[in-house]
Amino acid sequence: QSVLTQSPSASGTPGQRVTMSCSGSSSNIGTNPVNWYQQVPGMAPKFLLYNKNQRPSGVPDRFSGSQSGTSASLAISGLQSEDEAEYYCATWDDSLNGWVFGGGTKLTVL
Amino acid sequence: QVTLKESGPALVKPTQTLTLTCAFSGFSLSSFGIRVNWIRQSPGKAPQWLARIDWDDEKFYSTFLKTRLSISRDTSRNLVVLRMTNVDPADTGTYYCARERHPQQYMDVWGTGTTVTVSS
């Protein structure tokens, strides 16, 4: 069972906006910034968002994040078929002294 | 360009010791703030963090696996090695190494992963 909790699935049609959540505790999300990763089958996770809402170079601004208290969320606007993937949240946990991940949200583009 | 590449045996038997190597380029593990992590992912599961080694040789291990893990580095050859003792079929999965930079709290560049199957 993952330390961070994510809803297992989400879906939307092309052009729509979808959001997905990540819930944790005071020792992880409550203290440290959340990062988001996108993973398509057979590939390594791709660094998507960091420090709540910062995008690495090359990530389109359709992807945005927020973080408050012990929760974080990822939003994708203008949904595209290539956004279909698994999305994971991750952060450092001060109690476990290690990185923790969410269980992942599988996004389906209908 | 920053790259990381994992390597190791594709198949190991239960109770054996698994040794994985992460060869990286484009950065130095002796530079201030550089860290290298190992993460694994069992089929159909979320990533699970295993261990980290820092620029000052400080080491961190997963609470759940720390008795079985050992991480080390060879800064002259740009290598990080992870050893896992007494493997079990539950250790089957893809193993990744990833760079992290302090004080930024993120793992930004990942290797492509190496797949390990534990089976007799």
Side-chain angles (χ1 to χ4, degrees):
Chain A
Q1 194 158 355
S2 300
V3 173
L4 305 181
T5 301
Q6 295 182 252
S7 47
S9 64
S11 63
T13 57
Q16 270 191 330
R17 182 178 188 269
V18 296
T19 61
M20 54 191 76
S21 63
C22 174
S23 177
S25 66
S26 58
S27 64
N28 43 65
I29 297 180
T31 308
N32 299 302
V34 171
N35 306 313
W36 290 90
Y37 295 89
Q38 177 193 61
Q39 188 177 34
V40 296
M43 301 293 287
K46 173 189 173 185
F47 186 39
L48 195 65
L49 288 174
Y50 66 99
N51 196 17
K52 308 175 191 178
N53 193 27
Q54 303 299 305
R55 290 182 307 277
S57 174
V59 174
D61 59 6
R62 301 187 296 105
F63 293 88
S64 62
S66 66
Q67 182 173 344
S68 178
T70 58
S71 296
S73 64
L74 168 68
I76 308 172
S77 59
L79 199 62
Q80 299 180 5
S81 58
E82 57 260 40
D83 298 334
E84 187 161 289
E86 193 88 27
Y87 291 84
Y88 295 100
C89 57
T91 189
W92 184 261
D93 189 295
D94 289 345
S95 294
L96 295 173
N97 236 5
W99 285 94
V100 291
F101 288 83
T105 296
K106 183 174 174 55
L107 174 64
T108 302
V109 180
L110 302 169
Chain B
Q1 183 189 5
V2 172
T3 64
L4 302 97
K5 179 73 172 172
E6 308 85 351
S7 61
L11 178 67
V12 290
K13 296 185 187 315
T15 75
Q16 287 186 335
T17 294
L18 170 64
T19 300
L20 298 170
T21 301
C22 173
F24 57 87
S25 64
F27 65 93
S28 172
L29 190 45
S30 54
S31 296
F32 177 84
I34 297 296
R35 298 164 165 166
V36 172
N37 292 270
W38 279 98
I39 307 101
R40 74 177 179 186
Q41 190 170 26
S42 301
K45 302 292 187 182
Q48 177 187 25
W49 178 79
L50 299 176
R52 187 184 91 190
I53 190 164
D54 293 358
W55 74 96
D56 57 1
D57 206 30
E58 191 166 9
K59 299 161 187 173
F60 296 82
Y61 296 99
S62 165
T63 301
F64 311 104
L65 293 165
K66 65 188 306 178
T67 60
R68 300 173 50 211
L69 296 175
S70 174
I71 191 170
S72 62
R73 65 182 189 170
D74 183 334
T75 53
S76 63
R77 297 172 61 200
N78 285 352
L79 298 174
V80 172
V81 176
L82 181 74
R83 290 186 174 86
M84 178 183 288
T85 61
N86 193 27
V87 296
D88 177 87
D91 296 314
T92 292
T94 300
Y95 287 72
Y96 300 98
C97 57
R99 184 188 73 166
E100 178 187 347
R101 290 185 293 175
H102 172 76
Q104 295 96 326
Q105 289 179 287
Y106 53 73
M107 293 180 281
D108 58 347
V109 185
W110 294 51
T112 55
T114 186
T115 299
V116 178
T117 300
V118 180
S119 175
S120 54

